[in-house]
Amino acid sequence: MHKLPKLTARHVDPRTYPPGVAYMDGQYLPIQEAKLSVLDYGFLHSDATYDVVHVWNGAFFRLGDHLERFFRGMSELHMSIPYDTAQVTEILHNCVALSGLENAYVEFICTRGTSPEFSRDPRDAENRFIAFAIPFGSVANKEQMERGLHLAVTDVLRIPPSSVDPTVKNYHWLDMVKGLYAAYERGADTAVLIDVNGNVSEGPGFNIFAVKDGVVSTPNLSVLLGITRQTIVDLCAEMGLPCHAQDIAVEDLKSADEVFVTSTAGGVMPVSKIDGQPIGSGEVGLLSERMMALYWQLHADDRYRSVVSYPGATDQ
Ligand SMILES: Cc1ncc(COP(=O)(O)O)c(C=O)c1O
């Protein structure tokens, strides 16, 4: 296990956007100084796993769940870093504390790294750990949150689980980018991809939920098991609402009473149109609104928060 470096008092450069702080190759850096070798296989082959957790009002939300997913992903990809969970936790806290951000988007990454002799054997590479905290961002902007997102269900196939395990968070996003361009051509805000059986899978950075006759459902195949998705499953259980992880046919999504998408980047985000057709009344649904409110209320719940200790802050 490596020793963590001491914190240095370098400030965020106010001229940089987004402002933020990174941890890379054993040191904390202003975000604009965190640069990767072009020989890193994370860059050359998208050979990496990562996670994104957020900080809201000065506290991480469900950090333990994000860490667990990240460490499992590394193990599935035969990667290892010289830090244990407690040390990664400390690094993430420090990035946020040094950035001073009260609401942050915190990404942590393990790339395959570089090989001493540029060997093509992944076992020769020295895996690299990177983390950074930047301002909180959302899949949906303010206007889209108010009117509901407009989705396009594209015929782009999400990379099948037999090729790339979607439960290991990854950067294999060319299918997502293809979906986005197809969606923009159709005047939509963002895309939904389909799975190998033609059912709904997920979109660029989010899981999707349909509500029909009071029953909530979300795809289970060809998706990342999102932490926000899990929060909705937990909320449904608390509310006594049936919630099923199951196949959703494209027609069933389009004829749902309500549809919403979920992501760490934005939380619960309503959908009001799919392929140009209104969902339900075409307004943001009542259950979607309730889920959004409950989701943000949960951020004050001690079961899920880990408070960041900012330099100079006094104990509350
Ligand atoms: C492909 C994909 N699906 C789903 C999600 C939502 O996951 P989470 O709720 O853990 O942010 C993400 C998040 O970035 C994602 O990249």
Side-chain angles (χ1 to χ4, degrees):
M1 208 70 65
H2 279 205
K3 272 196 137 176
L4 293 180
K6 292 231 157 39
L7 293 191
T8 53
R10 296 178 73 192
H11 294 292
V12 177
D13 185 338
R15 291 163 304 180
T16 310
Y17 195 84
V21 170
Y23 178 85
M24 192 171 179
D25 297 336
Q27 43 179 336
Y28 295 96
L29 300 163
I31 191 81
Q32 73 274 16
E33 289 179 26
K35 294 187 180 145
L36 188 69
S37 162
V38 291
L39 298 182
D40 191 302
Y41 284 113
F43 171 67
L44 291 176
H45 292 173
S46 297
D47 189 347
T49 187
Y50 74 112
D51 219 291
V52 176
V53 61
H54 68 287
V55 168
W56 196 251
N57 290 336
F60 281 95
F61 185 66
R62 299 194 79 148
L63 178 56
D65 295 314
H66 287 275
L67 287 164
E68 200 180 310
R69 185 169 69 179
F70 178 67
F71 274 89
R72 179 188 157 264
M74 282 194 295
S75 150
E76 293 289 321
L77 298 180
H78 309 277
M79 289 174 174
S80 63
I81 53 173
Y83 309 125
D84 61 14
T85 306
Q87 289 179 306
V88 172
T89 304
E90 188 177 331
I91 292 168
L92 299 182
H93 272 265
N94 286 341
C95 285
V96 177
L98 288 170
S99 76
L101 293 163
E102 294 272 318
N103 298 321
Y105 177 102
V106 184
E107 183 153 342
F108 44 120
I109 307 160
C110 180
T111 71
R112 185 70 58 195
T114 39
S115 300
E117 314 256 321
F118 199 44
S119 152
R120 300 180 76 84
D121 182 337
R123 293 169 300 184
D124 294 336
E126 198 179 312
N127 304 157
R128 171 175 275 124
F129 176 76
I130 305 165
F132 62 84
I134 55 173
F136 184 75
S138 171
V139 168
N141 62 31
K142 190 166 177 287
E143 183 207 330
Q144 293 164 342
M145 287 300 283
E146 281 163 15
R147 62 142 158 90
L149 281 162
H150 298 167
L151 300 186
V153 181
T154 66
D155 55 8
V156 178
L157 183 68
R158 182 74 180 120
I159 297 181
S162 54
S163 301
V164 175
D165 180 351
T167 68
V168 175
K169 202 165 154 66
N170 63 72
Y171 292 126
H172 290 268
W173 265 51
L174 290 183
D175 51 356
M176 297 291 201
V177 173
K178 187 173 172 187
L180 276 173
Y181 275 96
Y184 298 151
E185 250 171 48
R186 286 151 61 179
D189 301 319
T190 187
V192 176
L193 273 60
I194 53 168
D195 71 17
V196 274
N197 303 315
N199 294 313
V200 174
S201 67
E202 60 185 350
F206 57 81
N207 292 113
I208 189 160
F209 284 79
V211 184
K212 184 75 180 173
D213 300 327
V215 179
V216 180
S217 52
T218 188
N220 208 35
L221 181 74
S222 246
V223 296
L224 176 73
L225 302 177
I227 308 293
T228 324
R229 173 183 182 271
Q230 184 58 46
T231 304
I232 295 299
V233 172
D234 296 345
L235 280 172
C236 286
E238 279 177 27
M239 294 160 81
L241 268 183
C243 179
H244 306 298
Q246 61 183 26
D247 288 347
I248 302 181
V250 173
E251 314 79 72
D252 292 339
L253 184 76
K254 291 187 183 179
S255 61
D257 301 327
E258 293 187 36
V259 172
F260 56 85
V261 301
T262 61
S263 174
T264 296
V268 184
M269 295 163 278
V271 172
S272 55
K273 265 191 195 172
I274 299 183
D275 292 344
Q277 298 302 311
I279 296 301
S281 65
E283 309 267 298
V284 173
L286 286 180
L287 185 65
S288 308
E289 265 178 359
R290 180 130 183 74
M291 284 300 184
M292 283 189 262
L294 290 172
Y295 173 77
W296 288 108
Q297 274 169 33
L298 270 192
H299 286 64
D301 189 321
D302 285 337
R303 283 177 298 169
Y304 299 123
R305 322 166 70 214
S306 335
V307 176
V308 176
S309 158
Y310 294 88
T314 48
D315 283 346
Q316 298 156 16

